[in-house]
Amino acid sequence: MGRVAYVNGSYVPHSEAAVHIEDRGYQFADGVYEVTAVYQGKLIDEQGHAARLDRSLRELQIAWPVKRRVFGLLMREVIRRNRLTNGSIYVQVTRGVAPRNHNFPKGVPSSLVMTTTAKDLDTLLGGEPTQVITVPDIRWGRPDIKSIALLPNCLAKQKAGEAGCYEAWQVDKDGCVTEGTLSNAWIVNAAGELVTRNADENAILNGITRQAVMELAQTASLRVVERPFSVDEALAAREAFLTSTTSFVKPVVRIDGKPVGDGAPGSVTRQLGVLIGERLAAAVR
Ligand code: PDD
Protein backbone atom coordinates (compact mmCIF):
# COMPACT_ATOMS: atom_id res chain seq x y z
CA MET A 1 0.00 0.00 0.00
CA GLY A 2 1.42 3.39 -1.00
CA ARG A 3 0.78 6.78 0.57
CA VAL A 4 -2.73 7.35 1.86
CA ALA A 5 -4.53 10.64 2.38
CA TYR A 6 -7.59 11.34 4.50
CA VAL A 7 -10.16 13.48 2.69
CA ASN A 8 -13.49 14.30 4.32
CA GLY A 9 -14.24 10.91 5.81
CA SER A 10 -12.39 8.67 3.32
CA TYR A 11 -8.92 7.18 3.14
CA VAL A 12 -7.78 7.43 -0.47
CA PRO A 13 -4.56 6.78 -2.38
CA HIS A 14 -2.47 9.95 -2.15
CA SER A 15 -2.21 10.24 -5.94
CA GLU A 16 -6.00 10.30 -6.28
CA ALA A 17 -6.82 12.52 -3.29
CA ALA A 18 -8.81 15.58 -4.35
CA VAL A 19 -11.16 18.24 -3.02
CA HIS A 20 -14.04 19.91 -4.83
CA ILE A 21 -13.24 22.92 -7.04
CA GLU A 22 -15.59 25.03 -4.92
CA ASP A 23 -13.84 24.20 -1.68
CA ARG A 24 -13.33 27.61 -0.06
CA GLY A 25 -9.74 26.72 0.67
CA TYR A 26 -9.13 26.44 -3.06
CA GLN A 27 -11.07 29.59 -3.98
CA PHE A 28 -10.42 31.94 -1.05
CA ALA A 29 -7.57 30.35 0.98
CA ASP A 30 -10.35 30.23 3.58
CA GLY A 31 -8.79 27.69 5.89
CA VAL A 32 -6.10 26.83 8.40
CA TYR A 33 -3.51 24.11 8.87
CA GLU A 34 -1.08 22.44 11.25
CA VAL A 35 2.13 20.51 10.68
CA THR A 36 2.90 18.11 13.53
CA ALA A 37 6.10 16.08 13.81
CA VAL A 38 5.87 12.30 14.05
CA TYR A 39 8.83 10.64 15.73
CA GLN A 40 9.07 6.88 16.09
CA GLY A 41 5.40 6.72 15.14
CA LYS A 42 4.29 9.14 17.87
CA LEU A 43 2.76 12.58 17.52
CA ILE A 44 4.98 15.25 19.04
CA ASP A 45 3.35 18.16 20.89
CA GLU A 46 -0.09 16.93 19.85
CA GLN A 47 -1.90 19.03 22.46
CA GLY A 48 -0.06 22.23 21.52
CA HIS A 49 -0.85 21.80 17.83
CA ALA A 50 -4.50 20.91 18.53
CA ALA A 51 -4.85 23.94 20.80
CA ARG A 52 -3.38 26.23 18.16
CA LEU A 53 -5.66 24.71 15.50
CA ASP A 54 -8.60 25.33 17.81
CA ARG A 55 -7.53 28.97 18.21
CA SER A 56 -7.07 29.45 14.43
CA LEU A 57 -10.53 27.95 13.78
CA ARG A 58 -12.16 30.11 16.44
CA GLU A 59 -10.51 33.30 15.13
CA LEU A 60 -11.98 32.56 11.67
CA GLN A 61 -15.32 31.19 12.92
CA ILE A 62 -14.75 27.85 11.21
CA ALA A 63 -16.34 24.88 12.99
CA TRP A 64 -14.27 21.83 13.95
CA PRO A 65 -14.85 19.28 11.14
CA VAL A 66 -14.99 16.41 13.65
CA LYS A 67 -14.98 16.13 17.45
CA ARG A 68 -11.56 16.80 19.04
CA ARG A 69 -11.30 13.21 20.29
CA VAL A 70 -12.12 11.81 16.84
CA PHE A 71 -9.56 14.21 15.34
CA GLY A 72 -6.79 12.59 17.40
CA LEU A 73 -7.93 9.11 16.37
CA LEU A 74 -7.99 10.10 12.68
CA MET A 75 -4.44 11.46 12.88
CA ARG A 76 -3.26 8.19 14.40
CA GLU A 77 -5.07 6.18 11.74
CA VAL A 78 -3.48 8.23 8.93
CA ILE A 79 -0.06 7.67 10.50
CA ARG A 80 -0.79 3.94 10.82
CA ARG A 81 -2.06 3.52 7.26
CA ASN A 82 1.04 5.28 5.94
CA ARG A 83 3.33 3.21 8.21
CA LEU A 84 4.93 6.52 9.14
CA THR A 85 7.79 6.25 11.60
CA ASN A 86 9.55 9.60 11.25
CA GLY A 87 8.24 12.69 9.48
CA SER A 88 5.21 14.90 9.78
CA ILE A 89 1.46 14.97 9.40
CA TYR A 90 -0.23 17.85 7.61
CA VAL A 91 -3.77 18.74 8.63
CA GLN A 92 -5.90 21.27 6.76
CA VAL A 93 -9.35 22.50 7.67
CA THR A 94 -11.28 24.80 5.35
CA ARG A 95 -14.70 26.42 5.63
CA GLY A 96 -16.06 23.77 3.27
CA VAL A 97 -17.61 23.53 -0.18
CA ALA A 98 -20.14 26.13 -1.30
CA PRO A 99 -21.00 28.18 -4.41
CA ARG A 100 -18.45 31.02 -4.71
CA ASN A 101 -19.62 33.87 -2.52
CA HIS A 102 -17.44 35.97 -0.23
CA ASN A 103 -19.91 35.69 2.66
CA PHE A 104 -19.65 32.62 4.86
CA PRO A 105 -22.00 29.83 3.74
CA LYS A 106 -24.60 28.63 6.25
CA GLY A 107 -24.97 24.99 7.31
CA VAL A 108 -21.95 23.80 5.36
CA PRO A 109 -19.57 21.35 7.12
CA SER A 110 -15.91 22.30 7.18
CA SER A 111 -13.50 20.19 5.12
CA LEU A 112 -10.72 18.09 6.63
CA VAL A 113 -7.68 16.78 4.81
CA MET A 114 -4.67 14.94 6.27
CA THR A 115 -1.47 13.77 4.58
CA THR A 116 1.86 12.50 5.88
CA THR A 117 5.43 13.02 4.74
CA ALA A 118 8.29 10.74 5.72
CA LYS A 119 11.44 12.62 6.76
CA ASP A 120 14.64 11.71 8.53
CA LEU A 121 14.13 13.79 11.67
CA ASP A 122 17.41 12.58 13.21
CA THR A 123 19.31 14.20 10.34
CA LEU A 124 17.28 17.41 10.73
CA LEU A 125 18.16 17.43 14.42
CA GLY A 126 21.79 17.74 13.37
CA GLY A 127 21.29 21.50 13.13
CA GLU A 128 22.78 22.10 9.72
CA PRO A 129 23.94 25.74 9.40
CA THR A 130 21.70 27.88 7.20
CA GLN A 131 21.65 31.30 5.62
CA VAL A 132 18.75 33.72 5.39
CA ILE A 133 17.85 36.77 3.35
CA THR A 134 15.65 39.60 4.60
CA VAL A 135 12.49 40.71 2.79
CA PRO A 136 9.70 43.18 3.60
CA ASP A 137 6.87 41.52 5.51
CA ILE A 138 3.96 42.02 3.10
CA ARG A 139 1.56 39.59 4.82
CA TRP A 140 -1.90 40.36 6.14
CA GLY A 141 -2.35 41.67 9.67
CA ARG A 142 -3.00 38.28 11.32
CA PRO A 143 0.04 36.01 10.92
CA ASP A 144 -0.81 34.64 14.37
CA ILE A 145 -3.55 32.60 12.65
CA LYS A 146 -2.08 29.56 10.88
CA SER A 147 -3.93 30.36 7.68
CA ILE A 148 -3.35 28.51 4.40
CA ALA A 149 -3.09 31.94 2.68
CA LEU A 150 0.67 31.61 2.26
CA LEU A 151 1.37 33.44 -1.00
CA PRO A 152 3.65 36.11 0.57
CA ASN A 153 5.49 33.32 2.40
CA CYS A 154 5.92 31.39 -0.86
CA LEU A 155 7.20 34.48 -2.70
CA ALA A 156 9.75 35.18 0.05
CA LYS A 157 10.83 31.54 0.40
CA GLN A 158 11.27 31.28 -3.37
CA LYS A 159 13.44 34.42 -3.30
CA ALA A 160 15.53 32.89 -0.52
CA GLY A 161 15.97 29.70 -2.53
CA GLU A 162 17.04 31.68 -5.58
CA ALA A 163 19.67 33.40 -3.39
CA GLY A 164 20.94 29.99 -2.21
CA CYS A 165 19.39 30.48 1.24
CA TYR A 166 17.09 28.31 3.31
CA GLU A 167 14.81 30.96 4.70
CA ALA A 168 13.68 34.59 4.37
CA TRP A 169 13.35 36.69 7.51
CA GLN A 170 10.45 39.07 7.07
CA VAL A 171 10.96 42.64 8.22
CA ASP A 172 8.23 45.03 9.36
CA LYS A 173 7.96 48.74 8.52
CA ASP A 174 10.09 49.63 11.57
CA GLY A 175 13.01 47.53 10.32
CA CYS A 176 12.38 44.74 12.83
CA VAL A 177 12.29 41.04 12.01
CA THR A 178 8.91 39.40 12.48
CA GLU A 179 9.65 35.77 11.56
CA GLY A 180 10.63 33.48 8.71
CA THR A 181 8.23 32.15 6.08
CA LEU A 182 7.87 28.82 7.92
CA SER A 183 9.88 29.34 11.09
CA ASN A 184 10.44 31.70 13.99
CA ALA A 185 13.54 33.91 14.18
CA TRP A 186 15.92 34.20 17.13
CA ILE A 187 19.19 35.88 18.04
CA VAL A 188 21.59 35.56 20.97
CA ASN A 189 22.84 39.03 21.85
CA ALA A 190 26.13 40.16 23.44
CA ALA A 191 24.58 39.82 26.91
CA GLY A 192 23.83 36.17 26.15
CA GLU A 193 20.07 36.78 26.05
CA LEU A 194 17.87 34.87 23.62
CA VAL A 195 15.77 37.43 21.79
CA THR A 196 12.70 36.52 19.74
CA ARG A 197 9.72 38.54 18.58
CA ASN A 198 6.87 38.77 21.09
CA ALA A 199 3.77 36.82 20.07
CA ASP A 200 1.22 39.07 21.81
CA GLU A 201 0.83 41.63 18.99
CA ASN A 202 -0.30 39.11 16.34
CA ALA A 203 2.82 39.88 14.24
CA ILE A 204 4.03 36.27 14.26
CA LEU A 205 2.83 32.71 14.55
CA ASN A 206 3.42 31.50 18.08
CA GLY A 207 5.49 28.47 17.10
CA ILE A 208 5.13 25.28 19.07
CA THR A 209 8.90 24.80 18.72
CA ARG A 210 9.37 28.44 19.82
CA GLN A 211 7.42 27.64 22.99
CA ALA A 212 9.41 24.44 23.55
CA VAL A 213 12.71 26.32 23.15
CA MET A 214 11.53 28.95 25.66
CA GLU A 215 10.89 26.18 28.20
CA LEU A 216 14.22 24.48 27.47
CA ALA A 217 16.04 27.81 27.80
CA GLN A 218 14.48 28.30 31.21
CA THR A 219 15.64 24.91 32.44
CA ALA A 220 19.13 25.69 31.10
CA SER A 221 19.09 29.08 32.95
CA LEU A 222 19.23 31.00 29.68
CA ARG A 223 17.36 34.30 29.66
CA VAL A 224 14.70 34.75 26.97
CA VAL A 225 13.52 38.24 26.03
CA GLU A 226 10.44 38.49 23.82
CA ARG A 227 10.67 41.73 21.87
CA PRO A 228 11.23 42.96 18.32
CA PHE A 229 14.86 43.07 17.12
CA SER A 230 16.19 44.88 14.05
CA VAL A 231 18.19 43.42 11.18
CA ASP A 232 21.20 45.50 12.36
CA GLU A 233 20.86 44.01 15.85
CA ALA A 234 20.74 40.54 14.32
CA LEU A 235 23.89 41.24 12.32
CA ALA A 236 25.64 42.44 15.49
CA ALA A 237 24.43 39.42 17.48
CA ARG A 238 26.65 36.61 18.70
CA GLU A 239 24.40 33.95 17.24
CA ALA A 240 21.19 33.56 15.30
CA PHE A 241 18.92 30.60 14.70
CA LEU A 242 15.45 29.64 13.57
CA THR A 243 12.89 27.19 14.94
CA SER A 244 10.04 25.15 13.49
CA THR A 245 8.43 21.73 13.66
CA THR A 246 10.31 20.64 10.55
CA SER A 247 13.63 22.43 11.27
CA PHE A 248 13.89 22.08 15.08
CA VAL A 249 16.75 24.49 15.95
CA LYS A 250 18.71 25.53 12.88
CA PRO A 251 21.74 27.83 13.19
CA VAL A 252 21.61 30.93 10.98
CA VAL A 253 25.20 31.82 10.11
CA ARG A 254 24.64 34.51 7.47
CA ILE A 255 22.00 37.18 6.98
CA ASP A 256 21.91 38.82 3.53
CA GLY A 257 25.35 37.34 2.91
CA LYS A 258 26.88 38.91 6.04
CA PRO A 259 28.21 36.65 8.82
CA VAL A 260 26.52 36.48 12.21
CA GLY A 261 29.20 36.33 14.92
CA ASP A 262 32.12 34.35 13.53
CA GLY A 263 29.93 32.86 10.78
CA ALA A 264 29.69 29.45 12.45
CA PRO A 265 26.92 27.91 14.62
CA GLY A 266 27.16 29.32 18.13
CA SER A 267 27.41 27.42 21.39
CA VAL A 268 23.96 28.45 22.70
CA THR A 269 22.34 27.41 19.43
CA ARG A 270 24.13 24.06 19.56
CA GLN A 271 23.12 23.58 23.19
CA LEU A 272 19.46 24.24 22.33
CA GLY A 273 19.72 21.84 19.39
CA VAL A 274 20.90 19.09 21.74
CA LEU A 275 18.16 19.91 24.25
CA ILE A 276 15.41 19.78 21.64
CA GLY A 277 16.75 16.39 20.50
CA GLU A 278 16.66 15.11 24.07
CA ARG A 279 13.12 16.44 24.45
CA LEU A 280 12.07 14.53 21.33
CA ALA A 281 13.69 11.32 22.56
CA ALA A 282 12.00 11.74 25.95
CA ALA A 283 8.59 12.18 24.29
CA VAL A 284 8.72 8.69 22.75
CA ARG A 285 10.28 6.81 25.67
N1 PDD B 1 5.46 26.30 9.60
N2 PDD B 1 6.19 30.86 11.58
C1 PDD B 1 5.54 30.49 10.45
C2 PDD B 1 5.08 31.54 9.52
C3 PDD B 1 5.29 29.12 10.23
O1 PDD B 1 4.63 28.76 9.11
C4 PDD B 1 5.74 28.16 11.14
C5 PDD B 1 5.51 26.69 10.94
C6 PDD B 1 6.44 28.60 12.29
C7 PDD B 1 6.94 27.65 13.33
O2 PDD B 1 5.89 27.05 14.03
P1 PDD B 1 6.03 25.60 14.68
O3 PDD B 1 7.22 25.63 15.55
O4 PDD B 1 4.77 25.42 15.41
O5 PDD B 1 6.21 24.63 13.53
C8 PDD B 1 6.62 29.96 12.48
C9 PDD B 1 5.17 24.93 9.22
C10 PDD B 1 6.21 23.97 9.71
C11 PDD B 1 4.94 24.88 7.72
O6 PDD B 1 4.32 25.83 7.22
O7 PDD B 1 5.35 23.93 7.06
Side-chain angles (χ1 to χ4, degrees), residues 33 35 49 52 139 146 153 179-184 205 207-210 243-246:
Y33 75 105
V35 180
H49 285 283
R52 188 171 64 188
R139 297 176 300 166
K146 203 158 171 54
N153 306 52
E179 62 182 330
T181 64
L182 46 66
S183 60
N184 290 114
L205 183 78
I208 302 299
T209 322
R210 174 185 182 275
T243 57
S244 85
T245 295
T246 44

Side-chain angles (χ1 to χ4, degrees), residues 23-70:
D23 189 288
R24 289 182 61 99
Y26 182 61
Q27 291 194 324
F28 295 115
D30 188 358
V32 298
Y33 75 105
E34 280 296 329
V35 180
T36 305
V38 176
Y39 190 61
Q40 294 181 17
K42 291 215 175 111
L43 286 157
I44 303 300
D45 291 322
E46 181 183 3
Q47 294 317 318
H49 285 283
R52 188 171 64 188
L53 179 61
D54 182 59
R55 178 178 184 276
S56 295
L57 290 171
R58 268 188 292 116
E59 291 293 324
L60 299 182
Q61 299 171 49
I62 297 176
W64 270 86
V66 291
K67 289 205 169 67
R68 289 268 298 254
R69 195 183 63 80
V70 174

Side-chain angles (χ1 to χ4, degrees), residues 129-148:
T130 56
Q131 303 189 29
V132 304
I133 57 166
T134 59
V135 295
D137 192 335
I138 59 166
R139 297 176 300 166
W140 71 319
R142 294 299 305 275
D144 58 302
I145 299 171
K146 203 158 171 54
S147 149
I148 57 172

Side-chain angles (χ1 to χ4, degrees), residues 195-249:
V195 185
T196 193
R197 182 85 179 214
N198 45 311
D200 56 0
E201 289 171 344
N202 299 340
I204 63 161
L205 183 78
N206 192 358
I208 302 299
T209 322
R210 174 185 182 275
Q211 294 168 49
V213 165
M214 291 206 295
E215 277 173 33
L216 292 170
Q218 204 172 15
T219 56
S221 301
L222 296 164
R223 194 168 132 78
V224 177
V225 184
E226 290 179 84
R227 63 163 172 81
F229 61 85
S230 68
V231 176
D232 285 345
E233 193 180 353
L235 283 168
R238 266 199 221 158
E239 303 178 27
F241 63 92
L242 54 85
T243 57
S244 85
T245 295
T246 44
S247 317
F248 299 107
V249 174

